[in-house]
Amino acid sequence: MLNTETPDRQHADLDLYPTGELVDTLIGDQFHAVRAVQAASSQIAAAVTAALPRIDAGGRLMYVGAGTSGRLGVLDSVELYPTFSWPHERALALLAGGVDAMFVAVEGAEDDSARGAADLRALNPGRDDVVLLLAASGATPYVLGALRAAAAAGALTIGFANNPDAPVVREAQIGITLDTGPEVISGSTRLKAGTSQKIALNTFSSALMVRLHKVYGNLMVDLKPTNAKLVLRAVRLTMFATGADEAAARAVLEQCDFHVKVAIVALTKKTSIAQARVLLESARGSVRQALAA
């Protein structure tokens, strides 16, 4: 029996726990997710290193999963645009059962390996693409079908699973095992298995974006200010990076369509918006290199 499906003997009387103890148990069990991701840190770093040249060459990130794993992949793909201005067309997600499965469970869809392969092939994967394959069990047919189609197309395949020696980890070019063990509610991999996948995806995509110069120091300088909150965040980030007051930061941001990177270079080097853009382009988007030029 898979670890994720094995009943947790430590909590065999979970339904009898007083509410306070029940809540403490559910929270405490989540710490296993953090430890599982920590144990896989070298594999996650290897995945970032392998993905970087492909993405830097114009490749796409493609997430594939079913159920909770698939929804977590969708979430990571969607959040890259507002956080890092990552183009929508370069962060694609496949969820077994299609878009409707984001909101209503389509349980049988995960058993269709042929559909997984067909859905992946429909994205026309190439050698510069990076395919992230997520399955708590590590053996979901839909995900394995997509993995094999991605591998046949020459894409980089990165497999995430919550059980040791799982097929999705064995068959992927880079396998990442998040060994979270038995769930406190037996088999409910939306709990710590899902938490570990969320942490791992956050870590992978954030580290990749740092390497792609979407971050200056530890400041998120390539965000899309699509609402009032993010406009204020853009102003604050520009102030933090340059020491400018709010009025000066906002004035320059308004001239460059609230592109924080451009504002930082223009303010710091006391140059025009046009020249700041040229410096950033020459530095391939690196604020640090543009400032050193």
Side-chain angles (χ1 to χ4, degrees):
M1 185 178 292
L2 298 175
N3 284 356
T4 51
E5 301 296 329
T6 303
D8 186 343
R9 295 180 180 178
Q10 184 179 353
H11 300 291
D13 294 324
L14 186 73
D15 61 331
L16 299 178
Y17 288 7
T19 301
E21 184 181 355
L22 174 61
V23 169
D24 286 344
T25 298
L26 290 166
I27 293 170
D29 200 53
Q30 295 290 310
F31 286 99
H32 292 293
V34 177
R35 289 192 285 271
V37 180
Q38 287 176 324
S41 63
S42 61
Q43 288 76 35
I44 296 172
V48 173
T49 299
L52 180 59
R54 295 176 185 245
I55 298 300
D56 204 28
R60 298 168 293 174
L61 291 169
M62 300 177 178
Y63 300 74
V64 183
T68 297
S69 299
R71 294 183 192 100
L72 289 169
V74 172
L75 180 62
D76 204 65
S77 72
V78 168
E79 291 182 341
L80 292 181
Y81 175 77
T83 309
F84 301 111
S85 296
W86 191 250
H88 293 296
E89 65 272 15
R90 295 184 66 192
L92 308 173
L94 295 177
L95 176 59
V99 176
D100 289 347
M102 192 71 192
F103 306 99
V104 179
V106 184
E107 298 296 350
E110 70 177 55
D111 297 328
D112 193 341
S113 61
R115 172 52 59 188
D119 287 351
L120 196 285
R121 284 194 294 267
L123 300 180
N124 296 312
R127 298 191 64 81
D128 288 331
D129 292 326
V130 176
V131 184
L132 309 172
L133 302 125
L134 303 148
S137 70
T140 305
Y142 180 88
V143 176
L144 291 175
L147 188 159
R148 290 158 189 162
L156 174 66
T157 55
I158 302 171
F160 296 79
N162 292 93
N163 288 289
D165 198 34
V168 74
V169 171
R170 289 200 311 267
E171 294 188 30
Q173 287 168 265
I174 297 176
I176 298 172
T177 299
L178 307 170
D179 188 4
T180 44
E183 294 286 356
V184 67
I185 297 176
S186 180
S188 180
T189 52
R190 63 178 288 269
L191 298 176
K192 66 185 171 192
T195 300
S196 72
Q197 291 179 7
K198 172 63 172 165
I199 297 170
L201 287 174
N202 273 351
T203 302
F204 170 82
S205 60
S206 297
L208 184 61
M209 294 297 143
V210 171
R211 288 287 167 261
L212 291 167
H213 310 305
K214 301 291 186 178
V215 174
Y216 170 51
N218 68 339
L219 302 179
M220 188 177 75
V221 294
D222 216 2
L223 78 161
K224 282 289 185 189
T226 53
N227 58 38
K229 177 189 71 176
L230 293 177
V231 167
L232 290 175
R233 185 173 295 166
V235 173
R236 287 196 298 270
L237 288 167
T238 303
M239 293 168 64
F240 289 147
T242 64
D245 61 28
E246 182 175 354
R250 185 179 288 274
V252 173
L253 283 165
E254 287 174 350
Q255 295 175 48
C256 63
D257 195 27
F258 278 81
H259 192 168
V260 176
K261 282 185 174 184
V262 175
I264 291 171
V265 174
L267 281 164
T268 303
K269 293 187 74 72
K270 296 180 172 56
T271 188
S272 68
I273 298 300
Q275 182 59 26
R277 288 195 170 111
V278 169
L279 288 169
L280 278 166
E281 186 174 351
S282 298
R284 302 187 70 227
S286 170
V287 171
R288 195 173 295 279
Q289 292 177 31
L291 294 178

